Amino acid sequence: SWYAWNLLGGEKMNVVDELKVVLAVTKKELKLYLRYPVWVLFDALMPLLWVLSSIIYSKALVGSSYSAYLASLANTGDYVSFIVVGMIVSSFAFSTLWGMSYALRGEQWSGTLETTFLAPCSRFSILLGKAFSSMLTTSLWVVLQLILSTLVFNLRVRFINLPIALFLLLIALPSF
């Protein structure tokens, strides 16, 4: 049988069983998240409101849709694209930083944190399942926000750079 060393407990664990735990926790977290449609709507639209306010401020300060000063700093003068890319990266950063802590806090509020951590599986698997569900919902909202940004802000997305951008984001995710 396949075994790996449990990072948080120190005992051996069956990898296949622990992957089942990760999938079960991911499914539970997604089911719980989707039970509150207003929460889902808020998470989908709130980043766009932040982007909209930044774009309004930028337009007021610059006066056009191109900033020469931004171009000298970031190799792009299109501040709408710059802000949307920032929204995407910050969405993943916030998702991993806040999503995990809020998932644990939610377990604590509902009174299930102790029993969850007493389950006969690795705590690392439980936390990994919570992280995966957070990444899945964030990925869905980022795609939705990109679609809405292209429609509302006339954002030009070059799909030729998309594989490189996804690769760099995957490299950065463990640091988040």
Side-chain angles (χ1 to χ4, degrees):
S1 178
W2 292 79
Y3 287 96
W5 193 256
N6 180 343
L7 297 176
L8 298 177
E11 70 274 0
K12 287 184 178 181
M13 60 183 189
N14 186 320
V15 174
V16 175
D17 289 340
E18 294 301 327
L19 285 176
K20 289 178 184 177
V21 170
V22 170
L23 291 175
V25 171
T26 301
K27 183 179 176 183
K28 180 203 83 133
E29 290 294 319
L30 289 173
K31 196 180 274 192
L32 179 66
Y33 179 72
L34 294 173
R35 293 286 297 163
Y36 300 97
V38 174
W39 185 8
V40 173
L41 184 65
F42 177 80
D43 282 350
L45 298 180
M46 198 61 200
L48 285 176
L49 294 177
W50 296 331
V51 167
L52 181 61
S53 65
S54 297
I55 289 172
I56 290 170
Y57 295 144
S58 300
K59 182 81 169 179
L61 290 172
V62 175
S64 69
S65 61
Y66 182 82
S67 170
Y69 184 69
L70 180 62
S72 70
L73 293 174
N75 291 330
T76 181
D78 181 14
Y79 58 81
V80 174
S81 299
F82 186 78
I83 292 170
V84 169
V85 168
M87 174 198 61
I88 291 169
V89 172
S90 66
S91 291
F92 280 109
F94 292 151
S95 168
T96 53
L97 293 173
W98 290 101
M100 182 71 71
S101 61
Y102 277 131
L104 291 175
R105 186 71 175 148
E107 293 283 342
Q108 188 181 23
W109 282 334
S110 62
T112 57
L113 181 65
E114 292 82 7
T115 53
T116 299
F117 280 162
L118 288 174
C121 62
S122 165
R123 291 178 185 157
F124 183 74
S125 298
I126 294 169
L127 295 176
L128 198 58
K130 290 179 180 296
F132 280 157
S133 68
S134 183
M135 283 292 112
L136 286 172
T137 56
T138 301
S139 298
L140 176 68
W141 300 139
V142 163
V143 169
L144 177 68
Q145 291 159 6
L146 270 175
I147 292 169
L148 289 174
S149 294
T150 57
L151 297 173
V152 174
F153 306 124
N154 198 20
L155 181 70
R156 296 175 314 236
V157 178
R158 292 187 203 156
F159 289 104
I160 195 163
N161 295 335
L162 191 61
I164 295 169
L166 289 175
F167 177 71
L168 292 174
L169 187 64
L170 284 175
I171 290 173
L173 278 179
S175 68
F176 292 156

